[in-house]
Amino acid sequence: MRKILILGATSAIAEHCARIWAARGDALYLVARNEERLKTMTADLIVRGAEQAHSFCVDLNDMQKHVALLDAAETAMGGIDTVLIAHGTLSNQKACEQNVEQTLAEINTNALSVISLLTHIANRFEAKQSGTIAVISSVAGDRGRASNYVYGSAKAMVTAFTSGLRQRLHKSNVAVVTIKPGFVDTPMTASFKKGLLWAKPDHVAPKIVQAIDKRKYEVYVPTFWWVVMAAIRLLPVRVFLKLTF
Amino acid sequence: MTAAPQTTATTTISGWGGYPTQEAQVIIPRSLSGCKTELERHSSLIARGMGRSYGDSANAATVLQTTCCDHFIAFDDKTGLLTAEAGVTLRDILKITVKHGWFLPVTPGTSYVTVGGAIASDVHGKNHHVAGTFGQHVVSLTLLLGTGEIVTASPTHLQDLFHATCGGMGLTGVILVATIQLIPVKSAQITQKTIKAASLEEACEAFEVYSASTYSVAWIDCLATGKRLGRSVVMLGEHSDSGGLNLTVKDPVTVPIHTPAALLNSMTMRAFNIAYWAKAAHDKTQTVPLQPYFYPLDALGGWNKLYGKAGFVQYQFVLPKADGVSNMRTILTQIAESGAGSFLAVLKQFGPANKNLLSFPIEGYTLALDFKMSSSVVALLHRLDDMVAGMGGRVYLTKDAVMKELTFKATYPEWQEFEAVRHKYGALGKFASAQSKRLGLA
Ligand SMILES: Cc1cc2nc3c(=O)[nH]c(=O)nc-3n(C[C@H](O)[C@H](O)[C@H](O)COP(=O)(O)OP(=O)(O)OC[C@H]3O[C@@H](n4cnc5c(N)ncnc54)[C@H](O)[C@@H]3O)c2cc1C
């Protein structure tokens, strides 16, 4: 039985991962900011087979509370061995361009709050010389694009941070898994027109769970995004400038 | 972490038959309170589950899709009492309850339907003659009314609302939560017995002989004519006592695109029917897992696309038992002559009707088959509708896409009482589907 802490637990991707873990009989500790949905999810996960399901309602932008919530999770489950950081917001790029505060708020949610959590968790796991930390970053962090570079740059920070953290914690037997989903059809992306590149959360979640089980380093889900992003990264700037995506 | 509902831009939706289609705004609330908020925001809408009804019963300009309200609330593995949000699918239920020895009291031929959809259509299964409909196993349900009020209805509390909602095609309100009594099973296997019937009369006789059998259904070759008319393979089933409670749930193989409709022409259908009948062994008993027994088509995701872009209509009607066999023969002859019927023709004997106002089953014989959509098919179906109505039968609303208002009102005589209940609970105008408008409901 794993003892899993999920941050941003009510996100569609996290919820589908939680259901897989519940079916395996793991213990779960859910953190999100919507009380009603946390209550609904904990009851659901128990029926689905979770050994335990607890919840903590907090806005993760409130970094003062990070230590308290980690303590609470450790107490409730008798320790934590796996963490999934899945919270985030899809920034409104156009609005951010006109508003510094909004831009910084997006960076705060998608990067700084993640880094705060990672710092605390890394130290705890390093001390006990075990654990797996998985973070949902994004393909958007691989190269800044006009259509969503605020979100993308926050994710780039998360990707770079986890890369360094992975190297640091490697000798302490702590795995850091960076997950880069492509387009996933979730409430966050509801207003987008969906094409062939889009995947469903229930398709993406098993891949994430597997990456965590196997303590992978960096995974693209679905896998083909690795090729797409490699190609996009390789485009010469001169060509890239002319593209509209 | 956004709490906003998943609202798509306008998209084209349809039922499982792909006909008719409609431009719709699809709202997918992420919580039960989100359903209420959305209801208040829109002047009229219809609930939608997995969209496995065939016609236009879950189509409207605004649909409230329950697929994110798919949480379990409680399950007691001692009593088999299950409480879940309406968007939970039967497939999800089975994954959780079978290993504890509990199975659905009634199940349709696909597990990809929601609890809300199963109640709203008051679905039946191969055990209708002994177990009745899905609604008869609902202990209570929570309904979001047109007024925004949330109430609980059961066979003993707000009975009028309960009996209008079970089978009410989403027209009384949005079902949010339901409590269902599951049935105990000792195994995830079914002992199946196959009997070949050379004619319709033999098939119906088999239903009588084996009326004590828990599950019974006949696959009928509706292209066979003359003496062989109605020749079929009758399949009986009982829950096994052995084999363990391990349920194997495989992901379906998906049909990726619409296949050219010509693939399903009457020649291929005829070849399939003959092969199917010839291959079936007579009086053979075998043990098969629950999944392939109840949901043979679930192994092939998106099989509806096999009918091509124009889609298809599944036509299911029931005829009263008196003169049922000879009336069925008359209709089968008509279908065989049209040459438009499918290989998917299923014959079943129904037990007595229940108290639900628009519930489909009445005691007698029901037949379901597919018609690839075309303009001549609509005319054929209207002709069949008239014949069925004239024989005292009716057509299943969850499959219907073309029935006329007059036919509906003549064959569902309790429609006025249904409207009165809707009026009483503030549903008129608030809940409407393309189907309810076509059928002249307010
Ligand atoms: C392969 C296949 C086999 C089938 N076999 C059978 C069978 O053997 N027996 C049988 O009876 N049926 C059968 N059906 C039909 C199917 O069981 C019903 O159409 C069922 O209602 C579909 O559920 P759904 O969740 O997809 O609902 P939808 O198709 O989305 O909606 C169907 C109706 O239910 C209403 N509804 C849905 N959710 C709610 C809610 N939360 N509150 C209020 N109203 C709601 C809708 O408004 C609509 O009127 C079969 C369908 C398929 C595709």
Side-chain angles (χ1 to χ4, degrees):
Chain A
M1 180 195 73
R2 275 179 187 265
K3 296 169 182 175
I4 307 172
L5 167 66
I6 309 178
L7 300 142
T10 55
S11 87
I13 292 179
E15 179 161 18
H16 280 91
C17 292
R19 287 180 176 184
I20 297 172
W21 286 318
R24 301 204 304 208
D26 292 334
L28 301 167
Y29 195 95
L30 316 175
V31 179
R33 37 170 202 192
N34 183 317
E35 183 86 56
E36 179 200 2
R37 298 195 38 229
L38 280 172
K39 289 258 161 335
T40 305
M41 252 183 93
T42 45
D44 175 65
L45 294 168
I46 290 292
V47 174
R48 287 177 193 266
E51 159 72 29
Q52 310 164 24
H54 313 271
S55 71
F56 192 107
C57 188
V58 68
D59 184 335
L60 289 169
N61 283 314
D62 188 353
M63 296 183 220
Q64 305 298 324
K65 302 230 172 88
H66 287 182
V67 169
L69 80 83
L70 292 174
D71 289 345
E74 277 178 350
T75 310
M77 295 189 290
I80 304 170
D81 52 47
T82 305
V83 178
L84 174 64
I85 302 185
H87 68 283
T89 50
L90 192 56
S91 322
N92 180 335
Q93 174 66 28
K94 281 276 167 292
C96 286
E97 285 166 17
Q98 303 307 319
N99 186 329
V100 177
E101 256 147 50
Q102 194 166 340
T103 301
L104 297 182
E106 292 295 340
I107 302 279
N108 198 65
T109 306
N110 291 308
L112 301 185
S113 74
V114 175
I115 283 168
S116 162
L117 287 162
L118 281 173
T119 304
H120 293 301
I121 295 162
N123 293 339
R124 291 178 190 216
F125 281 12
E126 188 177 42
K128 68 181 175 99
Q129 299 274 299
S130 71
T132 304
I133 308 171
V135 186
I136 310 269
S137 186
S138 170
V139 295
D142 281 11
R143 190 165 193 177
R145 294 180 294 116
S147 62
N148 71 343
Y149 64 83
V150 172
Y151 179 74
S153 57
K155 291 300 193 181
M157 192 163 171
V158 169
T159 299
F161 193 94
T162 50
S163 163
L165 194 63
R166 176 180 312 113
Q167 205 182 15
R168 171 188 145 198
L169 297 179
H170 180 67
K171 58 179 176 304
S172 307
N173 187 37
V174 176
V176 178
V177 187
T178 310
I179 294 147
K180 296 183 180 176
F183 300 153
V184 184
D185 187 357
T186 69
M188 197 159 103
T189 57
S191 58
F192 289 64
K193 266 244 164 298
K194 312 288 186 305
L196 271 180
L197 294 177
W198 288 78
K200 295 268 178 212
D202 55 349
H203 178 76
V204 169
K207 307 253 183 317
I208 294 174
V209 167
Q210 193 185 45
I212 293 172
D213 283 345
K214 294 193 171 161
R215 295 162 67 95
K216 290 255 174 82
Y217 306 133
E218 256 194 29
V219 286
Y220 287 83
V221 283
T223 323
F224 69 79
W225 279 97
W226 180 84
V227 184
V228 176
M229 294 321 294
I232 290 178
R233 271 198 312 268
L234 285 173
L235 287 175
V237 178
R238 162 170 61 73
V239 179
F240 187 70
L241 288 177
K242 298 213 177 79
L243 298 174
T244 50
F245 61 86
Chain B
M1 232 169 86
T2 40
Q6 181 164 353
T7 309
T8 58
T10 320
T11 46
T12 309
I13 59 166
S14 72
W16 190 243
Y19 173 87
T21 56
Q22 162 145 25
E23 285 302 302
Q25 189 194 7
V26 181
I27 303 160
I28 313 178
R30 306 210 61 208
S31 62
L32 299 183
S33 65
C35 293
K36 185 167 146 70
T37 313
E38 290 303 323
L39 182 79
E40 282 156 6
R41 208 173 280 169
H42 294 90
S43 58
S44 170
L45 51 75
I46 194 74
R48 186 179 173 94
M50 289 290 283
R52 251 48 176 202
S53 55
Y54 284 80
D56 52 359
S57 66
N59 290 3
T62 307
V63 302
L64 190 148
Q65 193 172 302
T66 60
T67 46
C68 283
C69 294
D70 63 342
H71 299 95
F72 289 95
I73 294 169
F75 171 54
D76 186 338
D77 62 10
K78 309 271 175 322
T79 61
L81 214 55
L82 176 93
T83 304
E85 291 180 353
V88 163
T89 64
L90 302 189
R91 190 175 174 85
D92 281 340
I93 293 177
L94 294 176
K95 281 186 195 169
I96 284 161
T97 63
V98 171
K99 58 176 174 277
H100 296 288
W102 296 96
F103 188 67
L104 295 161
V106 166
T107 177
T110 173
S111 60
Y112 290 104
V113 307
T114 65
V115 168
I119 296 172
S121 297
D122 202 16
V123 300
H124 57 268
K126 299 175 180 177
N127 57 352
H128 184 271
H129 59 291
V130 290
T133 62
F134 195 88
Q136 288 168 249
H137 304 269
V138 173
V139 176
S140 72
L141 56 84
T142 307
L143 193 68
L144 171 61
L145 300 179
T147 55
E149 208 184 329
I150 295 173
V151 297
T152 299
S154 74
T156 54
H157 180 68
L158 304 183
Q159 304 161 27
D160 55 349
L161 185 61
F162 183 81
H163 292 302
T165 300
C166 296
M169 303 310 288
L171 300 170
T172 57
V174 180
I175 301 162
L176 298 179
V177 171
T179 299
I180 312 156
Q181 177 62 59
L182 303 178
I183 55 162
V185 290
K186 294 200 188 81
S187 148
Q189 307 281 323
I190 294 284
T191 307
Q192 175 182 294
K193 186 178 160 86
T194 343
I195 295 160
K196 265 172 144 176
S199 67
L200 180 68
E201 287 71 14
E202 272 189 30
C204 292
E205 208 178 289
F207 285 137
E208 292 301 335
V209 173
Y210 295 99
S211 62
S213 176
T214 307
Y215 299 103
S216 65
V217 71
W219 289 60
I220 188 166
D221 174 1
C222 61
L223 296 182
T225 50
K227 252 180 40 204
R228 291 204 301 258
L229 183 114
R231 72 171 178 182
S232 39
V233 180
V234 181
M235 302 209 271
L236 310 169
E238 295 297 337
H239 288 282
S240 302
D241 287 335
S242 58
L245 287 165
N246 202 0
L247 182 78
T248 37
V249 190
K250 286 203 205 98
D251 280 338
V253 180
T254 309
V255 176
I257 42 161
H258 285 283
T259 50
L263 222 74
L264 268 177
N265 65 20
S266 68
M267 279 304 288
T268 43
M269 282 189 217
R270 187 175 296 275
F272 182 89
N273 282 14
I274 292 168
Y276 188 84
W277 199 79
K279 218 185 104 206
H282 183 60
D283 208 358
K284 183 176 166 204
T285 302
Q286 65 190 125
T287 304
V288 289
L290 288 175
Q291 292 282 118
Y293 179 79
F294 287 105
Y295 317 114
L297 289 167
D298 283 1
L300 188 64
W303 62 264
N304 52 344
K305 296 201 195 98
L306 289 171
Y307 280 97
K309 277 226 158 82
F312 66 106
V313 172
Q314 181 165 94
Y315 192 66
Q316 181 172 5
F317 61 91
V318 58
L319 299 175
K321 198 160 181 192
D323 298 328
V325 182
S326 67
N327 284 337
M328 185 64 79
R329 174 168 274 277
T330 309
I331 294 186
L332 271 174
T333 309
Q334 182 82 27
I335 291 171
E337 276 170 12
S338 80
S342 65
F343 52 80
L344 272 180
V346 179
L347 179 73
K348 156 112 204 94
Q349 184 168 22
F350 274 160
N354 60 28
K355 286 195 229 165
N356 303 333
L357 298 178
L358 295 191
S359 188
F360 166 64
I362 55 172
E363 186 156 21
Y365 300 101
T366 180
L367 186 81
L369 75 161
D370 298 346
F371 289 96
K372 193 170 81 59
M373 199 55 208
S374 74
S375 50
S376 61
V377 159
V378 176
L380 170 66
L381 295 182
H382 284 154
R383 269 205 311 283
L384 294 175
D385 277 358
D386 290 342
M387 293 173 74
V388 168
M391 293 165 180
R394 49 162 73 154
V395 168
Y396 193 3
L397 294 179
T398 209
K399 312 228 167 148
D400 157 58
V402 304
M403 201 198 313
K404 292 177 182 162
E405 176 178 346
L406 276 177
T407 315
F408 165 69
K409 290 184 172 170
T411 55
Y412 284 85
E414 283 162 307
W415 74 271
Q416 277 164 312
E417 203 179 327
F418 180 69
E419 289 291 78
V421 176
R422 289 182 69 216
H423 176 69
K424 179 174 166 193
Y425 292 96
L428 295 183
K430 188 78 195 181
F431 303 105
S433 62
Q435 179 181 53
S436 72
K437 289 185 177 160
R438 175 165 49 78
L439 299 180
L441 293 169

